[in-house]
Amino acid sequence: MEVQWVGVESPRLGPPQRAVGVIFLILLGVWSAQALEMSVGKINHLEAVNGSTVLLPCTYASCIGIENLYFNWQFNDNGTMQKVCESVIKDEGVVPDVKIYRERVEFIGMNNHNNVSILLWNITFEDGGKYTCYGRNPKEKGRNHSAIFTLVVVDELRVVDNTLATMIASAVGGAIALLMGFMLLKNFTLFVLSKLEEKNKECLVTSSGIDNTENGLSGSKADSKPTPKKK
């Protein structure tokens, strides 16, 4: 069954409404650009050996600054979020007093360069999983943001097989060496040919000079014969 609307037109926005809409979109874009952002870096995962110490990086950024910024680290334990540590940063450059709720955890950020990173000492397989770095900035009316870092704990690091890369590098190196050898042989051949051509030119010049000399001598001898006397 098809429903048709008869005699009803959709409302059209006039110039004032359009102007208000454009201003609202601009303000929304500016607000989004100033929003708090938590970041764990470009590489958001790490594979580490059991028993080692790892760094979980996290930094915050805000275009309008912070005031009583609340942050915490949480660990996803099979769907249950467990708080690792938390604190409030009163102002930029102020070292926070961090509460730690998990063993073998150390806060190393000290708020230097907006850093709120933590260290995990002597990690075990139970430490593997997703860690969330969360922040909330009251100066931005409670604007919040979070970033996730994944830790994978293994017995030993995998050895990367570079056989293919080595073969490709060897093939490319061999091709370059062959090309260089060909160019050297070509240049040597051209050099030898140029020398031979120079010698041939010298021989031709020398032989033509000898011929001209002999022709001149024979002519002078013929002209020097005395004329016979008439009896």
Side-chain angles (χ1 to χ4, degrees):
M1 181 178 178
E2 204 176 308
V3 179
Q4 295 183 352
W5 297 87
V6 180
V8 178
E9 295 183 358
S10 59
R12 297 181 179 179
L13 297 177
Q17 290 83 355
R18 290 180 181 175
V20 172
V22 171
I23 294 173
F24 176 76
L25 291 175
I26 292 174
L27 292 176
L28 182 61
V30 173
W31 176 256
S32 299
Q34 294 177 345
L36 174 70
E37 180 181 3
M38 309 298 289
S39 174
V40 293
K42 295 182 179 179
I43 302 176
N44 60 355
H45 62 276
L46 175 66
E47 191 173 279
V49 179
N50 180 31
S52 61
T53 299
V54 298
L55 169 69
L56 303 187
C58 184
T59 57
Y60 65 86
S62 175
C63 292
I64 63 174
I66 65 165
E67 184 178 347
N68 293 325
L69 171 70
Y70 169 80
F71 76 93
N72 66 37
W73 276 93
Q74 299 181 61
F75 173 64
N76 189 345
D77 187 8
N78 297 323
T80 302
M81 301 303 293
Q82 296 182 354
K83 195 172 290 185
V84 178
C85 66
E86 67 177 348
S87 184
V88 174
I89 302 176
K90 294 182 179 180
D91 200 356
E92 295 182 3
V94 177
V95 179
D97 183 15
V98 181
K99 296 179 181 179
I100 298 177
Y101 304 103
R102 195 179 176 93
E103 295 180 353
R104 297 175 287 103
V105 175
E106 179 184 356
F107 179 76
I108 63 169
M110 307 304 289
N111 198 26
N112 291 330
H113 304 289
N114 301 347
N115 189 359
V116 290
S117 304
I118 59 175
L119 273 181
L120 298 184
W121 292 87
N122 193 23
I123 61 173
T124 63
F125 292 104
E126 288 75 17
D127 294 325
K130 296 183 181 297
Y131 291 81
T132 301
C133 180
Y134 170 84
R136 183 178 68 247
N137 189 14
K139 193 172 183 179
E140 299 178 79
K141 296 183 179 181
R143 192 84 177 187
N144 63 78
H145 189 252
S146 61
I148 298 176
F149 190 88
T150 303
L151 175 64
V152 179
V153 183
V154 296
D155 281 327
E156 59 182 9
L157 295 178
R158 292 174 295 178
V159 179
V160 180
D161 188 5
N162 295 324
T163 304
L164 181 60
T166 304
M167 292 176 62
I168 294 175
S170 300
V172 172
I176 294 175
L178 182 62
L179 180 61
M180 291 179 65
F182 173 76
M183 295 299 294
L184 289 174
L185 180 61
K186 178 182 177 182
N187 292 334
F188 179 74
T189 304
L190 293 175
F191 175 76
V192 172
L193 291 176
S194 63
K195 290 298 182 181
L196 291 175
E197 187 175 359
E198 289 178 1
K199 287 185 178 181
N200 290 334
K201 288 181 179 180
E202 290 177 358
C203 292
L204 289 174
V205 171
T206 305
S207 60
S208 61
I210 293 173
D211 292 340
N212 292 334
T213 303
E214 290 180 352
N215 292 332
L217 290 174
S218 59
S220 60
K221 288 180 180 179
D223 295 337
S224 61
K225 289 181 180 180
T227 55
K229 294 180 179 181
K230 294 181 181 181
K231 294 181 180 180

